Amino acid sequence: MTEDVVEASKVSSGNINLQMMDVNFVEILNQTIGEIEEKMSTNDLEVIASVPESPVIVHVDGRRMWRVLENIFNMRQNMQCREHVYMPICK
């Protein structure tokens, strides 16, 4: 978590190099869900992702976008109301 705060500070001050590229957001989301799904289920959470079948191309730093998604899921695990995590993606 401390790393994320330091990186956020670097981004806001412009002192970080982003590796921007076109990536398939659906693929990144599905990979993230696959990696955290077991952890989520042990915390009584079910991930419900509503994503299009076709790719959703975004221009981002793929590694950092993956980290953002992982942080969103981790925040959700720490919330009081635990049942479902909805991730709707619209093209």
Side-chain angles (χ1 to χ4, degrees), residues 18-57:
L18 298 174
Q19 302 299 316
M20 302 298 283
M21 62 186 77
D22 289 341
V23 297
N24 181 353
F25 188 76
V26 173
E27 191 174 288
I28 291 176
L29 178 60
N30 287 333
Q31 287 174 350
T32 306
I33 291 170
E35 290 190 24
I36 55 93
E37 202 163 30
E38 184 177 332
K39 186 177 176 183
M40 299 288 272
S41 66
T42 60
N43 288 317
D44 297 325
L45 289 168
E46 178 185 4
V47 178
I48 300 172
S50 174
V51 296
E53 290 183 26
S54 59
V56 176
I57 305 301

